[in-house]
Amino acid sequence: MEMSIHLLVLNRAAYYFRIYLDEKMKMLSKQSGKQVPETLTQRRVFFAVMVLLLGLVLTLLLSLSQGAVPFSFDEMLQALLRRGDPLKQTILWDLRIPRIFAAMVVGAALGMSGALLQGMLRNSLADPFILGISAGAGLVVIVMVVLQVFQAWIPLAAWIGAIITTAIVIFLGRSGSKLSVELLILGGVAVSSLFGAVQSTLLLLAEDGQIQQALNWLIGSLNGRGWREVNAAAPYIIIALIAGWLLARSLNLLALGDDLAVSLGVNLGRSRILIAGVATLLAAGAVSVSGLVGFIGLVVPHGVRLLVGNDHRILLPLSALGGAWLLMFADLLSRLGSVELPVGSVTALLGSPLFIWLLYQRKTGTEN
């Protein structure tokens, strides 16, 4: 009992000491003539929100009007109001709108999932597939495609495969009652390598038509996604997005370091399992709709972090918003040509140069 009282007193002391240090830093900033950065931060957040919302609205209008059958603004408006040409109404309501919703939901899920894992692992190179999500989902899909069994259940099977694989990786990452970041990453790499080898072997044994069907999932595509896929995955993804936002405080405390986080009352093992679980649900839900779309969860949190900083209360929702915009923009580009490209290829083409530029900026900033 006395030990518990002493620990409680120490936790409170550390908490008030941190508040004292924050106030002291603000006083020193004022005394030195520097402007308190809170106003600047609010302006940066407002600027980031306006840029993302503007980009989202403009891309939405272009996505509704452009495609294999381009619409003028009047034609698009008439079709939205269920008037005019019945064929254009069908194209808009049964093909384009559900596909746009699917892109937004998948992009938001991948963006927040990447931000959660980067914050939990304290590694800016982490992405939603670092825990073996891609390997588990891809293996299940390839097995079902090669064996030609339960084809209609491939999205659900991909979701289950991703969840089970991540559960195995989390089990491998446990060290006693704690969750080791190093073991978690190593477990994800080991499981991904093993499942990747099995995938390659199965693809070599598959027929040409089966390989094409499997590659559509492995590369990532939104072609043919309709209201059925959106209605099946969107409710769970939205709930997981809300749950992820509620974990922002835990992520901010984990960013201070394990020792200080524990002194402030954070249960490291439970917090990391919750964060990893929510991130996995988001990424698995995205995989079940679009397949394996890369770079969204890696690049978007980077870009948002450059705009608004490391406060996860702001970083998480803006990463979801940025992911929704980027995937919708990539999907728009994928269907502008005469031949539709897989959206996963477009995100890789967009994300790779941007990621190289971010790494270069980070390197020059460190050297300076």
Side-chain angles (χ1 to χ4, degrees):
M1 183 67 181
E2 292 182 358
M3 181 66 70
S4 300
I5 294 174
H6 288 316
L7 288 175
L8 181 61
V9 171
L10 288 174
N11 285 338
R12 291 291 92 187
Y15 174 73
Y16 288 118
F17 179 66
R18 182 165 168 256
I19 292 177
Y20 168 77
L21 286 179
D22 290 343
E23 293 298 326
K24 199 70 175 176
M25 291 299 294
K26 290 180 181 179
M27 291 176 61
L28 289 173
S29 177
K30 290 179 179 179
Q31 290 175 1
S32 60
K34 296 180 180 178
Q35 191 176 13
V36 180
E38 290 181 0
T39 304
L40 179 60
T41 301
Q42 291 174 358
R43 289 177 180 174
R44 290 171 63 183
V45 172
F46 178 77
F47 173 76
V49 171
M50 289 297 102
V51 168
L52 290 175
L53 286 178
L54 181 62
L56 199 67
V57 171
L58 291 177
T59 307
L60 176 62
L61 294 175
L62 288 173
S63 297
L64 289 172
S65 61
Q66 300 301 315
V69 181
F71 292 177
S72 67
F73 181 77
D74 290 336
E75 291 172 338
M76 181 185 70
L77 190 60
Q78 289 291 323
L80 282 173
L81 297 174
R82 301 279 191 180
R83 297 174 182 172
D85 190 347
L87 177 60
K88 292 183 177 179
Q89 293 182 39
T90 301
I91 291 173
L92 193 68
W93 283 99
D94 295 341
L95 297 178
R96 289 187 184 173
I97 291 180
R99 181 167 175 162
I100 290 169
F101 270 108
M104 293 175 65
V105 169
V106 170
L110 292 175
M112 183 176 284
S113 180
L116 286 169
L117 289 175
Q118 288 178 12
M120 182 192 74
L121 301 175
R122 293 197 290 271
N123 185 345
S124 57
L125 297 178
D127 72 344
F129 299 147
I130 198 171
L131 299 182
I133 295 171
S134 59
L139 179 59
V140 171
V141 170
I142 289 176
V143 168
M144 296 179 72
V145 168
V146 171
L147 298 180
Q148 291 294 301
V149 294
F150 305 114
Q151 298 293 292
W153 295 93
I154 282 180
L156 178 62
W159 185 81
I160 294 174
I163 296 293
I164 293 175
T165 306
T166 308
I168 295 172
V169 172
I170 291 176
F171 174 78
L172 294 175
R174 289 184 67 87
S175 177
S177 60
K178 298 181 179 180
L179 193 64
S180 171
V181 172
E182 292 79 10
L183 290 177
L184 199 64
I185 295 175
L186 290 174
V189 171
V191 171
S192 297
S193 299
L194 174 62
F195 287 1
V198 178
Q199 288 178 29
S200 301
T201 304
L202 290 174
L203 284 175
L204 288 173
L205 299 175
E207 299 177 359
D208 291 342
Q210 295 172 347
I211 293 175
Q212 184 63 41
Q213 184 182 356
L215 286 178
N216 283 335
W217 272 91
L218 294 178
I219 298 175
S221 175
L222 290 171
N223 186 24
R225 303 308 189 264
W227 289 115
R228 182 171 64 88
E229 290 81 6
V230 173
N231 292 333
Y236 305 102
I237 291 178
I238 291 172
I239 292 173
L241 287 170
I242 296 172
W245 194 8
L246 295 177
L247 293 170
R249 179 181 177 276
S250 297
L251 284 166
N252 284 340
L253 293 177
L254 287 175
L256 301 174
D258 289 354
D259 294 336
L260 187 53
V262 170
S263 69
L264 294 174
V266 177
N267 186 319
L268 294 179
R270 184 177 63 187
S271 296
R272 284 175 176 155
I273 289 175
L274 280 174
I275 295 167
V278 172
T280 300
L281 289 174
L282 288 168
V287 166
S288 70
V289 175
S290 65
L292 309 181
V293 178
F295 278 98
I296 297 291
L298 183 63
V299 173
V300 169
H302 264 289
V304 174
R305 195 176 287 111
L306 289 176
L307 289 174
V308 301
N310 294 315
D311 188 347
H312 288 86
R313 295 172 299 177
I314 302 168
L315 178 63
L316 290 174
L318 289 189
S319 293
L321 189 63
W325 168 74
L326 184 58
L327 189 57
M328 186 166 56
F329 180 69
D331 182 57
L332 172 64
L333 294 180
S334 72
R335 52 190 174 87
L336 285 181
S338 57
V339 178
E340 182 173 325
L341 297 173
V343 71
S345 300
V346 179
T347 58
L349 290 172
L350 291 175
S352 299
L354 180 59
F355 187 59
I356 292 171
W357 178 78
L358 289 171
L359 287 177
Y360 177 76
Q361 293 293 318
R362 183 177 177 182
K363 177 183 176 182
T364 55
T366 303
E367 290 176 351
N368 293 333

